[in-house]
Amino acid sequence: QDVRQHSRFKGWDVRHASISGARVSIAVGADIYLLDLEAPAASEGQRVAIRLGGDFDHQRTRWVKKPQEFLTDTALAPNGERVLLASRGQLATQGIAALRRAELNQSERGRCRKGEFSPDSKTVFALCDFSGEREIWRLAANGLGAPQQITFGAKAPRTQLQPSPDGRYIAHTDKEGQLFLTDLKASGPAATRLIGHDRLTADISHM
């Protein structure tokens, strides 16, 4: 009579054994394993690769009949040749004539809320949470290159932003009513300073 140990697993109980000759299938957690009863030592055996058939309706390509319902923000480039579109955390620019639509190069770890073009229309400054907090990031309007973080150390979600006409600064606000100014020729946390702190003066529309 065989009373040897044939399986060895940690963390999950062995369930639902089914024997056929010298092999037995068992359930361990969400997986099924196949053991050889004639093996000289106890082991985990071989995990069975299972593929389920189905129509996978949720993975099918589908056309959105009213895409404008998913649009959350837009911004027009100063030269009038591109428009920035924000939808479901993703940013893209659409150009006129021969200019193609470009999906901006975003990190897979986060989403972007809104953005504005730089005065030369080549760059987009956007509010993104790639770092875990909503900060201002610089992205190429043509979709090329890696995003670059501009602001650091946000203590409240940043809500609005506006580049200066000369391209030197960005004014931006947060949910606590603070108005900041970031020098784009500087870098790091020291590039940003607080210039206003109340609900009225911290609104970019009052600048």
Side-chain angles (χ1 to χ4, degrees):
Q1 192 174 26
D2 187 358
V3 292
R4 293 183 301 112
Q5 180 178 348
H6 293 280
S7 64
R8 189 181 300 278
F9 294 92
K10 293 182 180 180
W12 298 98
D13 293 332
V14 173
R15 300 175 296 118
H16 310 308
S18 178
I19 299 176
S20 176
R23 298 195 302 174
V24 58
S25 63
I26 55 176
V28 181
D31 295 309
I32 295 177
Y33 289 81
L34 193 62
L35 296 174
D36 182 0
L37 298 179
E38 296 179 347
S43 68
E44 290 188 357
Q46 179 181 2
R47 186 168 67 90
V48 179
I50 300 176
R51 293 182 177 273
L52 299 177
D55 56 10
F56 298 104
D57 185 63
H58 64 286
Q59 295 183 2
R60 293 181 178 179
T61 300
R62 64 187 181 93
W63 291 94
V64 178
K65 294 182 179 180
K66 296 181 179 180
Q68 64 272 21
E69 294 181 354
F70 296 93
L71 198 63
T72 55
D73 189 66
T74 61
L76 185 65
N79 64 8
E81 294 184 353
R82 291 184 186 270
V83 62
L84 176 67
L85 308 173
S87 176
R88 305 180 74 173
Q90 303 297 310
L91 298 176
T93 57
Q94 177 65 57
I96 60 175
L99 293 177
R100 64 179 179 85
R101 181 178 65 87
E103 295 184 5
L104 302 196
N105 188 4
Q106 298 181 213
S107 168
E108 295 180 355
R109 298 176 296 174
R111 302 167 71 84
C112 296
R113 176 171 178 169
K114 64 177 299 179
E116 295 288 345
F117 281 94
S118 60
D120 63 5
S121 302
K122 296 180 180 180
T123 300
V124 169
F125 296 101
L127 297 172
C128 308
D129 59 6
F130 303 153
S131 64
E133 299 293 339
R134 191 185 299 163
E135 300 282 6
I136 297 177
W137 290 72
R138 188 200 317 259
L139 304 98
N142 61 7
L144 303 177
Q148 178 187 3
Q149 187 170 351
I150 300 299
T151 61
F152 301 82
K155 296 181 179 179
R158 303 192 193 274
T159 54
Q160 297 176 296
L161 73 160
Q162 182 61 57
S164 63
D166 62 2
R168 172 72 184 270
Y169 300 96
I170 292 183
H172 48 99
T173 60
D174 67 12
K175 277 194 172 182
E176 292 184 349
Q178 299 183 106
L179 176 62
F180 299 90
L181 191 67
T182 296
D183 186 349
L184 295 176
K185 290 190 176 182
S187 61
T192 299
R193 59 190 175 93
L194 178 67
I195 60 174
H197 191 188
D198 63 63
R199 293 293 180 183
L200 181 61
T201 60
D203 189 336
I204 288 180
S205 65
H206 289 87
M207 292 182 63

